[in-house]
Amino acid sequence: MRAILRVFYWIFAILVIATAASAWWYVYRPLPQIDGSASLPGLGQEVTVERDVWGVPHIRAGSVEDLAEAQGYVMAQDRLWQMDLLRRVARGQLSEILGPKTLLIDKEFRTNGFARAAERDAALLDPESRKMMEAYARGVNQFIEQHKKSLPLEFSLLRYEPSPWQPSDTLTISAYMYRTLTDTWERELNRGKVVGTRWRRSCEGSLLRRSSDGPFRRR
């Protein structure tokens, strides 16, 4: 009986150790670094990142470009999985990692054309804006490069690595946020369709219009 109990205790101990090791490897190890230093080759000067009691990072930099690069690095440090997920949703690439269940979402966002618009707008950025966007992307990519073996848990579970960040990805997510945080886009599209037809005059009375002192008024 004692031999059986001894074997049971050993098995239990091994399971506890294995569980703790797995939790450290997949959950604790990828957590953001809050102490020490990191190397970002693109920085012109040293940048300081301090986190308050809530874990919110406060960045001090000698230039706006350095600030943008550090922001990209810290943002990836805190939210890389969320960033990649939003990028995939906005570009209509969610099914590449989640399978056919998200095809309808991908179809909707590919129809919206956010990715095409973002690529177009990224090519038209003025030099100063381009510099900032590229610095931000550089910071994100530096984090990805340095942490390929310690990416957030979701990447391990889905067995893929994030692709390099591009300035157009930032613009694509901006379009996604506009789409998500507004509830008037369907009405605006319907209104545009009506205005472009010969029924415009007869339908104007039922169109919702914004007023200066209230959300909407009928005209």
Side-chain angles (χ1 to χ4, degrees), residues 138-175:
R138 194 162 57 243
V140 176
N141 291 330
Q142 190 64 34
F143 177 84
I144 294 174
E145 185 64 28
Q146 292 178 2
H147 295 81
K148 282 187 174 181
K149 295 183 179 180
S150 59
L151 292 170
L153 175 62
E154 294 86 353
F155 292 106
S156 299
L157 292 176
L158 293 171
R159 299 180 181 179
Y160 83 99
E161 293 182 0
S163 58
W165 199 262
Q166 307 174 52
S168 60
D169 290 329
T170 303
L171 296 176
T172 305
I173 291 179
S174 297

PDB file of all heavy atoms in Angstrom, residues 138-175:
ATOM      1  N   ARG A 138       8.719  50.225 -37.123  1.00  0.00           N
ATOM      2  CA  ARG A 138      10.058  49.725 -36.802  1.00  0.00           C
ATOM      3  C   ARG A 138      10.123  49.230 -35.352  1.00  0.00           C
ATOM      4  O   ARG A 138      10.739  48.206 -35.061  1.00  0.00           O
ATOM      5  CB  ARG A 138      11.084  50.824 -37.062  1.00  0.00           C
ATOM      6  CG  ARG A 138      12.507  50.377 -37.095  1.00  0.00           C
ATOM      7  CD  ARG A 138      13.402  51.405 -37.767  1.00  0.00           C
ATOM      8  NE  ARG A 138      13.343  52.712 -37.137  1.00  0.00           N
ATOM      9  CZ  ARG A 138      12.904  53.817 -37.745  1.00  0.00           C
ATOM     10  NH1 ARG A 138      12.467  53.759 -38.988  1.00  0.00           N
ATOM     11  NH2 ARG A 138      12.898  54.973 -37.109  1.00  0.00           N
ATOM     12  N   GLY A 139       9.480  49.978 -34.456  1.00  0.00           N
ATOM     13  CA  GLY A 139       9.456  49.563 -33.059  1.00  0.00           C
ATOM     14  C   GLY A 139       8.696  48.262 -32.862  1.00  0.00           C
ATOM     15  O   GLY A 139       9.141  47.376 -32.120  1.00  0.00           O
ATOM     16  N   VAL A 140       7.551  48.123 -33.523  1.00  0.00           N
ATOM     17  CA  VAL A 140       6.777  46.884 -33.437  1.00  0.00           C
ATOM     18  C   VAL A 140       7.597  45.709 -33.948  1.00  0.00           C
ATOM     19  O   VAL A 140       7.677  44.646 -33.318  1.00  0.00           O
ATOM     20  CB  VAL A 140       5.458  47.002 -34.231  1.00  0.00           C
ATOM     21  CG1 VAL A 140       4.705  45.666 -34.213  1.00  0.00           C
ATOM     22  CG2 VAL A 140       4.577  48.106 -33.670  1.00  0.00           C
ATOM     23  N   ASN A 141       8.226  45.898 -35.096  1.00  0.00           N
ATOM     24  CA  ASN A 141       8.991  44.813 -35.708  1.00  0.00           C
ATOM     25  C   ASN A 141      10.228  44.446 -34.891  1.00  0.00           C
ATOM     26  O   ASN A 141      10.637  43.281 -34.868  1.00  0.00           O
ATOM     27  CB  ASN A 141       9.403  45.199 -37.134  1.00  0.00           C
ATOM     28  CG  ASN A 141       8.210  45.252 -38.070  1.00  0.00           C
ATOM     29  OD1 ASN A 141       7.233  44.525 -37.881  1.00  0.00           O
ATOM     30  ND2 ASN A 141       8.261  46.108 -39.067  1.00  0.00           N
ATOM     31  N   GLN A 142      10.792  45.430 -34.212  1.00  0.00           N
ATOM     32  CA  GLN A 142      11.940  45.141 -33.361  1.00  0.00           C
ATOM     33  C   GLN A 142      11.514  44.229 -32.208  1.00  0.00           C
ATOM     34  O   GLN A 142      12.232  43.298 -31.845  1.00  0.00           O
ATOM     35  CB  GLN A 142      12.545  46.435 -32.819  1.00  0.00           C
ATOM     36  CG  GLN A 142      13.882  46.268 -32.118  1.00  0.00           C
ATOM     37  CD  GLN A 142      14.974  45.781 -33.060  1.00  0.00           C
ATOM     38  OE1 GLN A 142      14.987  46.119 -34.233  1.00  0.00           O
ATOM     39  NE2 GLN A 142      15.886  44.976 -32.549  1.00  0.00           N
ATOM     40  N   PHE A 143      10.342  44.498 -31.656  1.00  0.00           N
ATOM     41  CA  PHE A 143       9.846  43.633 -30.578  1.00  0.00           C
ATOM     42  C   PHE A 143       9.594  42.220 -31.097  1.00  0.00           C
ATOM     43  O   PHE A 143       9.956  41.238 -30.444  1.00  0.00           O
ATOM     44  CB  PHE A 143       8.565  44.199 -29.978  1.00  0.00           C
ATOM     45  CG  PHE A 143       7.978  43.315 -28.918  1.00  0.00           C
ATOM     46  CD1 PHE A 143       8.423  43.377 -27.608  1.00  0.00           C
ATOM     47  CD2 PHE A 143       6.990  42.391 -29.244  1.00  0.00           C
ATOM     48  CE1 PHE A 143       7.910  42.543 -26.639  1.00  0.00           C
ATOM     49  CE2 PHE A 143       6.460  41.551 -28.275  1.00  0.00           C
ATOM     50  CZ  PHE A 143       6.929  41.631 -26.971  1.00  0.00           C
ATOM     51  N   ILE A 144       8.953  42.105 -32.257  1.00  0.00           N
ATOM     52  CA  ILE A 144       8.672  40.782 -32.827  1.00  0.00           C
ATOM     53  C   ILE A 144       9.968  40.022 -33.061  1.00  0.00           C
ATOM     54  O   ILE A 144      10.075  38.826 -32.734  1.00  0.00           O
ATOM     55  CB  ILE A 144       7.880  40.923 -34.145  1.00  0.00           C
ATOM     56  CG1 ILE A 144       6.484  41.511 -33.881  1.00  0.00           C
ATOM     57  CG2 ILE A 144       7.751  39.567 -34.834  1.00  0.00           C
ATOM     58  CD1 ILE A 144       5.697  41.816 -35.138  1.00  0.00           C
ATOM     59  N   GLU A 145      10.963  40.701 -33.601  1.00  0.00           N
ATOM     60  CA  GLU A 145      12.243  40.051 -33.902  1.00  0.00           C
ATOM     61  C   GLU A 145      12.927  39.578 -32.623  1.00  0.00           C
ATOM     62  O   GLU A 145      13.513  38.479 -32.599  1.00  0.00           O
ATOM     63  CB  GLU A 145      13.142  41.036 -34.648  1.00  0.00           C
ATOM     64  CG  GLU A 145      14.464  40.452 -35.117  1.00  0.00           C
ATOM     65  CD  GLU A 145      14.296  39.355 -36.146  1.00  0.00           C
ATOM     66  OE1 GLU A 145      13.295  39.360 -36.887  1.00  0.00           O
ATOM     67  OE2 GLU A 145      15.174  38.462 -36.202  1.00  0.00           O
ATOM     68  N   GLN A 146      12.858  40.371 -31.579  1.00  0.00           N
ATOM     69  CA  GLN A 146      13.531  40.018 -30.329  1.00  0.00           C
ATOM     70  C   GLN A 146      12.798  38.955 -29.521  1.00  0.00           C
ATOM     71  O   GLN A 146      13.383  38.346 -28.623  1.00  0.00           O
ATOM     72  CB  GLN A 146      13.707  41.276 -29.466  1.00  0.00           C
ATOM     73  CG  GLN A 146      14.677  42.293 -30.016  1.00  0.00           C
ATOM     74  CD  GLN A 146      14.769  43.523 -29.130  1.00  0.00           C
ATOM     75  OE1 GLN A 146      14.145  43.617 -28.077  1.00  0.00           O
ATOM     76  NE2 GLN A 146      15.553  44.505 -29.566  1.00  0.00           N
ATOM     77  N   HIS A 147      11.519  38.736 -29.819  1.00  0.00           N
ATOM     78  CA  HIS A 147      10.720  37.842 -28.979  1.00  0.00           C
ATOM     79  C   HIS A 147      10.061  36.719 -29.779  1.00  0.00           C
ATOM     80  O   HIS A 147       8.993  36.232 -29.405  1.00  0.00           O
ATOM     81  CB  HIS A 147       9.656  38.644 -28.226  1.00  0.00           C
ATOM     82  CG  HIS A 147      10.217  39.612 -27.245  1.00  0.00           C
ATOM     83  ND1 HIS A 147      10.706  40.851 -27.624  1.00  0.00           N
ATOM     84  CD2 HIS A 147      10.391  39.538 -25.903  1.00  0.00           C
ATOM     85  CE1 HIS A 147      11.146  41.496 -26.557  1.00  0.00           C
ATOM     86  NE2 HIS A 147      10.965  40.726 -25.504  1.00  0.00           N
ATOM     87  N   LYS A 148      10.692  36.284 -30.831  1.00  0.00           N
ATOM     88  CA  LYS A 148      10.120  35.207 -31.644  1.00  0.00           C
ATOM     89  C   LYS A 148       9.911  33.924 -30.837  1.00  0.00           C
ATOM     90  O   LYS A 148       9.021  33.128 -31.138  1.00  0.00           O
ATOM     91  CB  LYS A 148      11.017  34.928 -32.849  1.00  0.00           C
ATOM     92  CG  LYS A 148      10.862  35.940 -33.974  1.00  0.00           C
ATOM     93  CD  LYS A 148      11.636  35.521 -35.195  1.00  0.00           C
ATOM     94  CE  LYS A 148      11.363  36.468 -36.359  1.00  0.00           C
ATOM     95  NZ  LYS A 148      12.085  36.069 -37.579  1.00  0.00           N
ATOM     96  N   LYS A 149      10.751  33.714 -29.833  1.00  0.00           N
ATOM     97  CA  LYS A 149      10.650  32.500 -29.026  1.00  0.00           C
ATOM     98  C   LYS A 149       9.837  32.707 -27.746  1.00  0.00           C
ATOM     99  O   LYS A 149       9.703  31.780 -26.944  1.00  0.00           O
ATOM    100  CB  LYS A 149      12.043  31.981 -28.675  1.00  0.00           C
ATOM    101  CG  LYS A 149      12.843  31.533 -29.896  1.00  0.00           C
ATOM    102  CD  LYS A 149      14.186  30.960 -29.489  1.00  0.00           C
ATOM    103  CE  LYS A 149      14.965  30.481 -30.706  1.00  0.00           C
ATOM    104  NZ  LYS A 149      16.294  29.922 -30.328  1.00  0.00           N
ATOM    105  N   SER A 150       9.314  33.895 -27.558  1.00  0.00           N
ATOM    106  CA  SER A 150       8.502  34.164 -26.369  1.00  0.00           C
ATOM    107  C   SER A 150       7.325  35.065 -26.718  1.00  0.00           C
ATOM    108  O   SER A 150       7.064  36.056 -26.047  1.00  0.00           O
ATOM    109  CB  SER A 150       9.357  34.798 -25.267  1.00  0.00           C
ATOM    110  OG  SER A 150       9.942  36.011 -25.724  1.00  0.00           O
ATOM    111  N   LEU A 151       6.628  34.707 -27.784  1.00  0.00           N
ATOM    112  CA  LEU A 151       5.456  35.466 -28.208  1.00  0.00           C
ATOM    113  C   LEU A 151       4.289  35.190 -27.260  1.00  0.00           C
ATOM    114  O   LEU A 151       4.283  34.193 -26.533  1.00  0.00           O
ATOM    115  CB  LEU A 151       5.079  35.078 -29.640  1.00  0.00           C
ATOM    116  CG  LEU A 151       6.060  35.500 -30.729  1.00  0.00           C
ATOM    117  CD1 LEU A 151       5.685  34.835 -32.055  1.00  0.00           C
ATOM    118  CD2 LEU A 151       6.097  37.010 -30.888  1.00  0.00           C
ATOM    119  N   PRO A 152       3.277  36.053 -27.245  1.00  0.00           N
ATOM    120  CA  PRO A 152       2.105  35.821 -26.392  1.00  0.00           C
ATOM    121  C   PRO A 152       1.477  34.446 -26.612  1.00  0.00           C
ATOM    122  O   PRO A 152       1.610  33.844 -27.683  1.00  0.00           O
ATOM    123  CB  PRO A 152       1.150  36.942 -26.807  1.00  0.00           C
ATOM    124  CG  PRO A 152       2.056  38.048 -27.245  1.00  0.00           C
ATOM    125  CD  PRO A 152       3.212  37.363 -27.918  1.00  0.00           C
ATOM    126  N   LEU A 153       0.776  33.973 -25.603  1.00  0.00           N
ATOM    127  CA  LEU A 153       0.229  32.623 -25.587  1.00  0.00           C
ATOM    128  C   LEU A 153      -0.624  32.306 -26.817  1.00  0.00           C
ATOM    129  O   LEU A 153      -0.582  31.190 -27.345  1.00  0.00           O
ATOM    130  CB  LEU A 153      -0.616  32.446 -24.317  1.00  0.00           C
ATOM    131  CG  LEU A 153      -1.388  31.133 -24.167  1.00  0.00           C
ATOM    132  CD1 LEU A 153      -0.434  29.957 -24.108  1.00  0.00           C
ATOM    133  CD2 LEU A 153      -2.275  31.184 -22.929  1.00  0.00           C
ATOM    134  N   GLU A 154      -1.392  33.284 -27.288  1.00  0.00           N
ATOM    135  CA  GLU A 154      -2.306  33.026 -28.411  1.00  0.00           C
ATOM    136  C   GLU A 154      -1.570  32.566 -29.662  1.00  0.00           C
ATOM    137  O   GLU A 154      -2.074  31.722 -30.415  1.00  0.00           O
ATOM    138  CB  GLU A 154      -3.120  34.284 -28.716  1.00  0.00           C
ATOM    139  CG  GLU A 154      -4.073  34.693 -27.613  1.00  0.00           C
ATOM    140  CD  GLU A 154      -3.429  35.556 -26.550  1.00  0.00           C
ATOM    141  OE1 GLU A 154      -2.193  35.737 -26.585  1.00  0.00           O
ATOM    142  OE2 GLU A 154      -4.170  36.065 -25.685  1.00  0.00           O
ATOM    143  N   PHE A 155      -0.386  33.109 -29.899  1.00  0.00           N
ATOM    144  CA  PHE A 155       0.385  32.686 -31.073  1.00  0.00           C
ATOM    145  C   PHE A 155       0.819  31.225 -30.939  1.00  0.00           C
ATOM    146  O   PHE A 155       0.830  30.483 -31.929  1.00  0.00           O
ATOM    147  CB  PHE A 155       1.611  33.585 -31.247  1.00  0.00           C
ATOM    148  CG  PHE A 155       1.276  34.997 -31.623  1.00  0.00           C
ATOM    149  CD1 PHE A 155       1.393  36.018 -30.699  1.00  0.00           C
ATOM    150  CD2 PHE A 155       0.843  35.303 -32.901  1.00  0.00           C
ATOM    151  CE1 PHE A 155       1.079  37.318 -31.035  1.00  0.00           C
ATOM    152  CE2 PHE A 155       0.521  36.606 -33.256  1.00  0.00           C
ATOM    153  CZ  PHE A 155       0.634  37.618 -32.321  1.00  0.00           C
ATOM    154  N   SER A 156       1.173  30.828 -29.729  1.00  0.00           N
ATOM    155  CA  SER A 156       1.563  29.429 -29.502  1.00  0.00           C
ATOM    156  C   SER A 156       0.367  28.497 -29.696  1.00  0.00           C
ATOM    157  O   SER A 156       0.495  27.429 -30.303  1.00  0.00           O
ATOM    158  CB  SER A 156       2.127  29.257 -28.086  1.00  0.00           C
ATOM    159  OG  SER A 156       3.283  30.049 -27.894  1.00  0.00           O
ATOM    160  N   LEU A 157      -0.796  28.905 -29.188  1.00  0.00           N
ATOM    161  CA  LEU A 157      -1.975  28.059 -29.308  1.00  0.00           C
ATOM    162  C   LEU A 157      -2.403  27.891 -30.768  1.00  0.00           C
ATOM    163  O   LEU A 157      -2.835  26.807 -31.176  1.00  0.00           O
ATOM    164  CB  LEU A 157      -3.127  28.649 -28.496  1.00  0.00           C
ATOM    165  CG  LEU A 157      -2.955  28.643 -26.972  1.00  0.00           C
ATOM    166  CD1 LEU A 157      -4.126  29.356 -26.302  1.00  0.00           C
ATOM    167  CD2 LEU A 157      -2.837  27.224 -26.438  1.00  0.00           C
ATOM    168  N   LEU A 158      -2.285  28.963 -31.550  1.00  0.00           N
ATOM    169  CA  LEU A 158      -2.710  28.918 -32.958  1.00  0.00           C
ATOM    170  C   LEU A 158      -1.571  28.545 -33.902  1.00  0.00           C
ATOM    171  O   LEU A 158      -1.761  28.436 -35.108  1.00  0.00           O
ATOM    172  CB  LEU A 158      -3.298  30.277 -33.358  1.00  0.00           C
ATOM    173  CG  LEU A 158      -4.609  30.630 -32.654  1.00  0.00           C
ATOM    174  CD1 LEU A 158      -5.016  32.068 -32.935  1.00  0.00           C
ATOM    175  CD2 LEU A 158      -5.724  29.678 -33.077  1.00  0.00           C
ATOM    176  N   ARG A 159      -0.365  28.407 -33.355  1.00  0.00           N
ATOM    177  CA  ARG A 159       0.802  27.911 -34.100  1.00  0.00           C
ATOM    178  C   ARG A 159       1.133  28.761 -35.318  1.00  0.00           C
ATOM    179  O   ARG A 159       1.220  28.276 -36.444  1.00  0.00           O
ATOM    180  CB  ARG A 159       0.577  26.455 -34.506  1.00  0.00           C
ATOM    181  CG  ARG A 159       0.396  25.513 -33.329  1.00  0.00           C
ATOM    182  CD  ARG A 159       0.168  24.091 -33.770  1.00  0.00           C
ATOM    183  NE  ARG A 159      -0.030  23.204 -32.638  1.00  0.00           N
ATOM    184  CZ  ARG A 159      -0.268  21.896 -32.743  1.00  0.00           C
ATOM    185  NH1 ARG A 159      -0.348  21.336 -33.942  1.00  0.00           N
ATOM    186  NH2 ARG A 159      -0.426  21.175 -31.649  1.00  0.00           N
ATOM    187  N   TYR A 160       1.285  30.038 -35.098  1.00  0.00           N
ATOM    188  CA  TYR A 160       1.742  30.910 -36.178  1.00  0.00           C
ATOM    189  C   TYR A 160       2.497  32.094 -35.588  1.00  0.00           C
ATOM    190  O   TYR A 160       2.415  32.358 -34.387  1.00  0.00           O
ATOM    191  CB  TYR A 160       0.575  31.375 -37.041  1.00  0.00           C
ATOM    192  CG  TYR A 160      -0.179  32.572 -36.509  1.00  0.00           C
ATOM    193  CD1 TYR A 160       0.077  33.857 -37.009  1.00  0.00           C
ATOM    194  CD2 TYR A 160      -1.153  32.428 -35.518  1.00  0.00           C
ATOM    195  CE1 TYR A 160      -0.614  34.953 -36.517  1.00  0.00           C
ATOM    196  CE2 TYR A 160      -1.844  33.517 -35.033  1.00  0.00           C
ATOM    197  CZ  TYR A 160      -1.570  34.784 -35.536  1.00  0.00           C
ATOM    198  OH  TYR A 160      -2.245  35.869 -35.056  1.00  0.00           O
ATOM    199  N   GLU A 161       3.262  32.782 -36.429  1.00  0.00           N
ATOM    200  CA  GLU A 161       3.997  33.971 -36.011  1.00  0.00           C
ATOM    201  C   GLU A 161       3.447  35.188 -36.749  1.00  0.00           C
ATOM    202  O   GLU A 161       3.044  35.073 -37.916  1.00  0.00           O
ATOM    203  CB  GLU A 161       5.489  33.829 -36.315  1.00  0.00           C
ATOM    204  CG  GLU A 161       6.189  32.753 -35.495  1.00  0.00           C
ATOM    205  CD  GLU A 161       7.680  32.699 -35.803  1.00  0.00           C
ATOM    206  OE1 GLU A 161       8.156  33.496 -36.654  1.00  0.00           O
ATOM    207  OE2 GLU A 161       8.381  31.859 -35.206  1.00  0.00           O
ATOM    208  N   PRO A 162       3.424  36.342 -36.107  1.00  0.00           N
ATOM    209  CA  PRO A 162       2.917  37.544 -36.775  1.00  0.00           C
ATOM    210  C   PRO A 162       3.869  37.998 -37.879  1.00  0.00           C
ATOM    211  O   PRO A 162       5.089  37.896 -37.741  1.00  0.00           O
ATOM    212  CB  PRO A 162       2.845  38.573 -35.644  1.00  0.00           C
ATOM    213  CG  PRO A 162       3.878  38.124 -34.665  1.00  0.00           C
ATOM    214  CD  PRO A 162       3.870  36.624 -34.721  1.00  0.00           C
ATOM    215  N   SER A 163       3.303  38.485 -38.955  1.00  0.00           N
ATOM    216  CA  SER A 163       4.124  39.020 -40.034  1.00  0.00           C
ATOM    217  C   SER A 163       4.615  40.414 -39.657  1.00  0.00           C
ATOM    218  O   SER A 163       4.061  41.054 -38.757  1.00  0.00           O
ATOM    219  CB  SER A 163       3.310  39.084 -41.334  1.00  0.00           C
ATOM    220  OG  SER A 163       2.145  39.879 -41.152  1.00  0.00           O
ATOM    221  N   PRO A 164       5.653  40.915 -40.321  1.00  0.00           N
ATOM    222  CA  PRO A 164       6.172  42.255 -39.989  1.00  0.00           C
ATOM    223  C   PRO A 164       5.093  43.326 -40.109  1.00  0.00           C
ATOM    224  O   PRO A 164       4.221  43.266 -40.976  1.00  0.00           O
ATOM    225  CB  PRO A 164       7.280  42.454 -41.038  1.00  0.00           C
ATOM    226  CG  PRO A 164       7.715  41.074 -41.399  1.00  0.00           C
ATOM    227  CD  PRO A 164       6.465  40.242 -41.349  1.00  0.00           C
ATOM    228  N   TRP A 165       5.183  44.298 -39.220  1.00  0.00           N
ATOM    229  CA  TRP A 165       4.220  45.403 -39.212  1.00  0.00           C
ATOM    230  C   TRP A 165       4.562  46.408 -40.296  1.00  0.00           C
ATOM    231  O   TRP A 165       5.730  46.689 -40.563  1.00  0.00           O
ATOM    232  CB  TRP A 165       4.228  46.087 -37.852  1.00  0.00           C
ATOM    233  CG  TRP A 165       3.000  46.909 -37.595  1.00  0.00           C
ATOM    234  CD1 TRP A 165       2.860  48.257 -37.754  1.00  0.00           C
ATOM    235  CD2 TRP A 165       1.743  46.428 -37.124  1.00  0.00           C
ATOM    236  NE1 TRP A 165       1.589  48.642 -37.408  1.00  0.00           N
ATOM    237  CE2 TRP A 165       0.879  47.536 -37.014  1.00  0.00           C
ATOM    238  CE3 TRP A 165       1.263  45.158 -36.772  1.00  0.00           C
ATOM    239  CZ2 TRP A 165      -0.434  47.418 -36.581  1.00  0.00           C
ATOM    240  CZ3 TRP A 165      -0.049  45.040 -36.347  1.00  0.00           C
ATOM    241  CH2 TRP A 165      -0.875  46.159 -36.253  1.00  0.00           C
ATOM    242  N   GLN A 166       3.526  46.964 -40.932  1.00  0.00           N
ATOM    243  CA  GLN A 166       3.700  47.976 -41.973  1.00  0.00           C
ATOM    244  C   GLN A 166       2.901  49.227 -41.623  1.00  0.00           C
ATOM    245  O   GLN A 166       1.896  49.139 -40.905  1.00  0.00           O
ATOM    246  CB  GLN A 166       3.211  47.431 -43.323  1.00  0.00           C
ATOM    247  CG  GLN A 166       3.817  46.109 -43.738  1.00  0.00           C
ATOM    248  CD  GLN A 166       3.162  45.587 -45.000  1.00  0.00           C
ATOM    249  OE1 GLN A 166       3.047  46.285 -46.019  1.00  0.00           O
ATOM    250  NE2 GLN A 166       2.688  44.351 -44.950  1.00  0.00           N
ATOM    251  N   PRO A 167       3.312  50.384 -42.131  1.00  0.00           N
ATOM    252  CA  PRO A 167       2.516  51.593 -41.888  1.00  0.00           C
ATOM    253  C   PRO A 167       1.056  51.435 -42.309  1.00  0.00           C
ATOM    254  O   PRO A 167       0.147  51.953 -41.648  1.00  0.00           O
ATOM    255  CB  PRO A 167       3.241  52.651 -42.728  1.00  0.00           C
ATOM    256  CG  PRO A 167       4.663  52.200 -42.733  1.00  0.00           C
ATOM    257  CD  PRO A 167       4.588  50.699 -42.803  1.00  0.00           C
ATOM    258  N   SER A 168       0.829  50.693 -43.387  1.00  0.00           N
ATOM    259  CA  SER A 168      -0.552  50.502 -43.846  1.00  0.00           C
ATOM    260  C   SER A 168      -1.377  49.703 -42.846  1.00  0.00           C
ATOM    261  O   SER A 168      -2.609  49.838 -42.800  1.00  0.00           O
ATOM    262  CB  SER A 168      -0.561  49.797 -45.212  1.00  0.00           C
ATOM    263  OG  SER A 168       0.073  48.529 -45.134  1.00  0.00           O
ATOM    264  N   ASP A 169      -0.725  48.880 -42.023  1.00  0.00           N
ATOM    265  CA  ASP A 169      -1.465  48.137 -41.001  1.00  0.00           C
ATOM    266  C   ASP A 169      -2.078  49.091 -39.980  1.00  0.00           C
ATOM    267  O   ASP A 169      -3.206  48.889 -39.527  1.00  0.00           O
ATOM    268  CB  ASP A 169      -0.536  47.156 -40.287  1.00  0.00           C
ATOM    269  CG  ASP A 169      -0.105  46.005 -41.186  1.00  0.00           C
ATOM    270  OD1 ASP A 169      -0.898  45.615 -42.063  1.00  0.00           O
ATOM    271  OD2 ASP A 169       1.028  45.513 -41.018  1.00  0.00           O
ATOM    272  N   THR A 170      -1.331  50.110 -39.609  1.00  0.00           N
ATOM    273  CA  THR A 170      -1.843  51.107 -38.664  1.00  0.00           C
ATOM    274  C   THR A 170      -3.054  51.828 -39.254  1.00  0.00           C
ATOM    275  O   THR A 170      -4.056  52.054 -38.565  1.00  0.00           O
ATOM    276  CB  THR A 170      -0.741  52.118 -38.311  1.00  0.00           C
ATOM    277  OG1 THR A 170       0.397  51.423 -37.785  1.00  0.00           O
ATOM    278  CG2 THR A 170      -1.228  53.116 -37.276  1.00  0.00           C
ATOM    279  N   LEU A 171      -2.977  52.166 -40.528  1.00  0.00           N
ATOM    280  CA  LEU A 171      -4.092  52.844 -41.185  1.00  0.00           C
ATOM    281  C   LEU A 171      -5.293  51.914 -41.325  1.00  0.00           C
ATOM    282  O   LEU A 171      -6.447  52.348 -41.191  1.00  0.00           O
ATOM    283  CB  LEU A 171      -3.653  53.348 -42.567  1.00  0.00           C
ATOM    284  CG  LEU A 171      -2.559  54.417 -42.575  1.00  0.00           C
ATOM    285  CD1 LEU A 171      -2.153  54.747 -44.014  1.00  0.00           C
ATOM    286  CD2 LEU A 171      -3.028  55.683 -41.864  1.00  0.00           C
ATOM    287  N   THR A 172      -5.023  50.645 -41.585  1.00  0.00           N
ATOM    288  CA  THR A 172      -6.112  49.675 -41.715  1.00  0.00           C
ATOM    289  C   THR A 172      -6.886  49.543 -40.412  1.00  0.00           C
ATOM    290  O   THR A 172      -8.125  49.507 -40.404  1.00  0.00           O
ATOM    291  CB  THR A 172      -5.558  48.299 -42.126  1.00  0.00           C
ATOM    292  OG1 THR A 172      -4.791  48.427 -43.323  1.00  0.00           O
ATOM    293  CG2 THR A 172      -6.687  47.313 -42.385  1.00  0.00           C
ATOM    294  N   ILE A 173      -6.158  49.493 -39.297  1.00  0.00           N
ATOM    295  CA  ILE A 173      -6.817  49.386 -37.997  1.00  0.00           C
ATOM    296  C   ILE A 173      -7.597  50.661 -37.688  1.00  0.00           C
ATOM    297  O   ILE A 173      -8.674  50.609 -37.074  1.00  0.00           O
ATOM    298  CB  ILE A 173      -5.786  49.084 -36.895  1.00  0.00           C
ATOM    299  CG1 ILE A 173      -5.250  47.666 -37.077  1.00  0.00           C
ATOM    300  CG2 ILE A 173      -6.399  49.244 -35.504  1.00  0.00           C
ATOM    301  CD1 ILE A 173      -4.215  47.257 -36.063  1.00  0.00           C
ATOM    302  N   SER A 174      -7.090  51.809 -38.118  1.00  0.00           N
ATOM    303  CA  SER A 174      -7.830  53.063 -37.929  1.00  0.00           C
ATOM    304  C   SER A 174      -9.180  52.995 -38.636  1.00  0.00           C
ATOM    305  O   SER A 174     -10.211  53.424 -38.088  1.00  0.00           O
ATOM    306  CB  SER A 174      -7.019  54.236 -38.461  1.00  0.00           C
ATOM    307  OG  SER A 174      -5.807  54.385 -37.752  1.00  0.00           O
ATOM    308  N   ALA A 175      -9.180  52.434 -39.844  1.00  0.00           N
ATOM    309  CA  ALA A 175     -10.441  52.280 -40.580  1.00  0.00           C
ATOM    310  C   ALA A 175     -11.365  51.307 -39.859  1.00  0.00           C
ATOM    311  O   ALA A 175     -12.582  51.522 -39.775  1.00  0.00           O
ATOM    312  CB  ALA A 175     -10.154  51.789 -42.000  1.00  0.00           C
TER     313      ALA A 175
END
